[in-house]
């Protein structure tokens, strides 16, 4: 069967072309998601003004929280399904599909819909003022209303990739991106819906992507599909899914808190335009992080499936290849933002806006500083996600929280006191450097102890 062939290649195909075949579609898909976020921000900056750019930056913590809920279920299900398929437990993998559908929807309803009556209070607590409160609330309301459908879309998309269909997972994200990029100008500018139009364009695009993904899982010739009996929630399986998905979930929850601290610091030193500048820098850096996330998503089913088979040297090799691949991406990103910082950040604001020059000046300086250690960050992200992929969530959580809490948080407290506003940007560089050193140390010790080179694969074509 075609579906079995998808699993066989995970076991027997050479690692580098296998990683490329799984990662490139994921990269294209994640880049597509970043592109329509970036393009949406550019549309908003050019047509709605600098305060709208700041409003979108103020919503970043909410987006982090939504992503946290989505990854808890989506990536937890994807990693669990890969391991189950590698162990030949097809029925368990089917049950994981049912859990993904139900848990994604229910968890996002709780997080997305329950806080809606307090949107104004939330945004005021996040730092909004009289100029940014309305646009931030308008945008946030749309995202929260559509969050359950977005969560199901991304969760099922992770499972599609994990079960052997990386190209179809890529296509679903590309479809969503194209729809967003095409209709956003109509919603924002032509219909004069402003920043709310940007949110509606994103919601419409995600709905189209969800339709594409659902059609895949209704097919009878795929590895995992919707069938009777897979929708009964098992608490042990739910606990396992959430345990594996906890590291990226915690990463985004902590990121939510960290972004709030960043925003408050920039408001203190530079006002609302400081928050806007930080939002611009975040979007640019996030683009390359999302590409690395695509690499880790390509690595995940390969590592998980071969771990289930006991093919430890293939697990080791896919990790090393992914680290090299990711470092190349972040190195390229560093060169790009170091060579053309002003040109990149100027895309996000209208040059004739009274507040544009302040955002451009602050963001140009910030992006050149925070990218200094960025070439090594790609490998650190891969290492953290590798432990999640092989079902070692505690180690993944440790590496994730070490960077954010042990390294970054103290830097954010101390360095602005020592260096003023530049210290906010320096904090990220110091935290990234320490996190990279920690990640390389941990993975070296782990590989030497658990996956030593003397482990021999069952097949020579690794």
């Amino acid at each position: 069967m075609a579906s079995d062939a998808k699993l066989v290649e995970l076991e027997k195909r050479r690692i580098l072309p296998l990683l490329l075949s799984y990662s490139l579609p994921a990269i294209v898909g994640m880049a597509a998601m970043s592109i329509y976020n970036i393009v949406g921000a550019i549309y908003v900056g050019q047509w709605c003004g600098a305060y709208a750019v700041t409003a979108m930056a103020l919503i970043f913590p909410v987006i982090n929280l939504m992503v946290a809920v989505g990854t808890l279920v989506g990536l937890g299900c994807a990693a669990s399904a890969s391991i189950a398929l590698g162990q030949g437990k097809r029925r368990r993998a089917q049950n994981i599909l049912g859990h993904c559908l139900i848990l994604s929807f229910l968890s996002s309803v709780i997080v997305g819909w329950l806080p809606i009556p307090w949107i104004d209070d939330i945004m005021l607590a996040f730092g909004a003022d009289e100029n940014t409160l309305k646009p931030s609330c308008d945008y946030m309301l749309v995202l929260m209303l559509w969050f359950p459908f977005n969560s199901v879309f991304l969760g099922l998309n992770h499972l599609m990739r994990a079960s052997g269909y990386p190209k179809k997972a890529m296509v679903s994200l590309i479809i969503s991106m194209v729809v967003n990029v095409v209709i956003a100008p109509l919603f924002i500018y032509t219909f004069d819906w402003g920043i709310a139009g940007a949110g509606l364009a994103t919601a419409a695009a995600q709905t189209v992507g969800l339709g594409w993904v659902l059609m895949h899982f209704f097919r009878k010739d795929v590895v995992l599909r919707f069938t009777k009996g897979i929708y009964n929630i098992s608490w042990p399986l739910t606990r396992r899914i959430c345990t594996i998905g906890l590291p990226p979930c915690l990463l985004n929850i902590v990121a939510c808190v960290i972004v709030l601290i960043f925003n408050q610091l920039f408001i203190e030193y530079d006002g609302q335009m400081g928050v806007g500048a930080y939002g611009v820098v975040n979007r640019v850096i996030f683009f390359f992080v999302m590409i690395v996330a695509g690499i880790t998503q390509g690595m995940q089913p390969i590592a998980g499936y071969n771990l289930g088979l006991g093919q430890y040297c293939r697990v080791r090799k896919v990790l090393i290849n992914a680290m090299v691949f990711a470092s190349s991406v972040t190195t390229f990103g560093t060169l790009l933002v170091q060579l053309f910082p002003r040109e990149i950040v100027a895309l996000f604001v209208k040059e004739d806006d009274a507040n544009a020059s302040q955002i451009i000046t602050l963001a140009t300086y910030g992006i050149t500083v925070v990218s200094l250690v960025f070439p090594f960050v790609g490998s650190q992200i891969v290492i953290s996600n590798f432990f999640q992929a092989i079902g070692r969530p505690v180690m993944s959580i440790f590496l994730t929280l070490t960077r954010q809490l042990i390294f970054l948080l103290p830097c954010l407290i101390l360095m602005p006191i020592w260096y003023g506003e530049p210290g906010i940007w320096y904090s990220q560089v110091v935290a990234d450097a320490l996190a990279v050193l920690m990640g390389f140390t941990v993975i070296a010790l782990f590989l030497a102890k658990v996956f030593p080179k003397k482990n021999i694969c069952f097949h020579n074509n690794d």
Side-chain angles (χ1 to χ4, degrees):
M1 292 176 62
S3 60
D4 292 327
K6 294 286 184 181
L7 300 179
V8 169
E9 74 171 2
L10 288 170
E11 175 186 355
K12 296 186 176 181
R13 191 176 177 186
R14 291 183 62 84
I15 288 294
L16 181 57
L18 180 62
L19 178 62
L20 291 174
S21 69
Y22 271 71
S23 292
L24 289 178
I27 288 170
V28 172
M30 300 305 286
M33 292 177 62
S34 292
I35 287 170
Y36 76 62
N37 283 328
I38 288 175
V39 170
I42 292 173
Y43 287 157
V44 167
Q46 295 296 326
W47 292 327
C48 303
Y51 282 115
V53 174
T54 297
M56 295 187 76
L58 288 169
I59 297 168
F60 247 110
V62 179
I63 295 175
N64 285 132
L65 186 59
M66 290 180 173
V67 172
V69 176
T71 54
L72 176 68
V73 178
L75 291 180
C77 285
S80 300
S82 293
I83 295 172
L85 290 170
Q87 295 171 335
K89 299 177 180 178
R90 187 74 62 91
R91 184 62 187 175
R92 180 179 175 85
Q94 284 284 110
N95 288 336
I96 292 171
L97 170 60
H99 280 65
C100 183
L101 183 65
I102 296 171
L103 295 176
S104 294
F105 188 81
L106 291 179
S107 60
S108 54
V109 164
I110 294 171
V111 174
W113 289 359
L114 290 184
I116 286 177
W118 299 279
I119 284 182
D120 285 12
D121 296 329
I122 292 171
M123 294 317 305
L124 286 171
F126 284 3
D129 64 5
E130 66 275 7
N131 295 304
T132 54
L133 179 60
K134 186 180 185 306
S136 61
C137 289
D138 288 347
Y139 189 69
M140 182 172 156
L141 176 61
V142 176
L143 293 184
M144 295 176 78
L145 287 173
W146 250 264
F147 179 44
F149 309 102
N150 176 44
S151 184
V152 171
F153 165 44
L154 295 179
L156 292 179
N157 201 68
H158 287 310
L159 265 184
M160 184 189 294
R161 182 181 301 107
S163 58
Y165 299 90
K167 291 181 180 178
K168 293 185 75 173
M170 170 193 71
V171 170
S172 67
L173 295 175
I174 291 177
I175 291 172
S176 183
M177 177 203 70
V178 171
V179 171
N180 193 316
V181 171
V182 169
I183 67 175
L186 296 175
F187 287 13
I188 299 171
Y189 183 74
T190 305
F191 299 157
D192 196 24
W193 291 343
I195 192 171
L200 288 169
T202 300
Q206 291 167 348
T207 303
V208 173
L210 174 60
W212 167 269
V213 172
L214 288 174
M215 286 192 297
H216 166 83
F217 286 103
F218 278 112
R219 293 174 59 93
K220 294 184 178 180
D221 59 342
V222 296
V223 175
L224 300 179
R225 61 184 179 272
F226 295 133
T227 58
K228 293 181 180 180
I230 67 171
Y231 306 107
N232 296 324
I233 295 296
S234 162
W235 293 115
L237 183 54
T238 299
R239 188 164 53 249
R240 175 63 175 168
I241 289 169
C242 292
T243 300
I244 293 179
L246 191 59
C249 174
L250 286 177
L251 173 63
N252 283 284
I253 291 175
V254 173
C256 172
V257 176
I258 294 296
V259 170
L260 283 173
I261 295 173
F262 269 112
N263 285 348
Q264 293 301 319
L265 286 170
F266 278 114
I267 288 173
E268 178 183 346
Y269 283 94
D270 300 304
Q272 294 285 308
M273 294 305 104
V275 177
Y278 176 61
V280 169
V281 173
N282 247 355
R283 288 184 185 277
V284 176
I285 295 297
F286 191 65
F287 173 76
F288 297 101
V289 171
M290 290 293 276
I291 294 177
V292 175
I295 297 171
T296 65
Q297 288 179 17
M299 171 189 70
Q300 180 266 318
I302 303 170
Y305 188 85
N306 282 281
L307 177 71
L309 289 174
Q311 297 274 38
Y312 300 127
C313 70
R314 285 177 64 83
V315 177
R316 179 191 182 100
K317 180 166 278 191
V318 73
L319 166 66
I320 293 172
N321 278 269
M323 289 175 63
V324 173
F325 196 179
S327 295
S328 301
V329 170
T330 49
T331 299
F332 174 77
T334 300
L335 292 174
L336 195 63
V337 300
Q338 290 289 336
L339 292 173
F340 310 104
R342 185 178 180 85
E343 292 81 357
I344 292 173
V345 300
L347 294 171
F348 292 85
V349 289
K350 288 177 67 174
E351 294 277 5
D352 58 353
D353 190 304
N355 299 294
S357 60
Q358 186 182 3
I359 287 183
I360 292 174
T361 300
L362 292 171
T364 299
Y365 175 77
I367 202 169
T368 55
V369 172
V370 301
S371 60
L372 290 175
V373 189
F374 199 52
F376 307 99
V377 170
S379 290
Q380 193 271 338
I381 295 172
V382 168
I383 291 169
S384 179
N385 281 271
F386 170 76
F387 286 109
Q388 177 204 355
I390 63 171
R392 302 260 183 156
V394 174
M395 188 62 70
S396 186
I397 293 170
F398 168 74
L399 291 176
T400 296
L401 297 187
T402 295
R403 190 266 179 188
Q404 301 281 37
L405 295 181
I406 298 179
F407 298 147
L408 182 55
L409 192 56
C411 287
L412 281 175
I413 294 171
L414 297 174
M415 299 193 76
I417 298 175
W418 298 337
Y419 302 104
E421 187 264 353
I424 308 174
W425 302 110
Y426 299 158
S427 299
Q428 295 189 68
V429 179
V430 174
D432 283 340
L434 293 174
V436 167
L437 290 174
M438 175 68 74
F440 274 86
T441 301
V442 168
I443 197 63
L445 294 173
F446 179 82
L447 291 179
K449 181 178 180 180
V450 181
F451 293 156
K453 292 182 179 180
K454 66 181 181 180
N455 280 327
I456 306 299
C457 290
F458 300 149
H459 305 282
N460 293 324
N461 55 344
D462 61 333

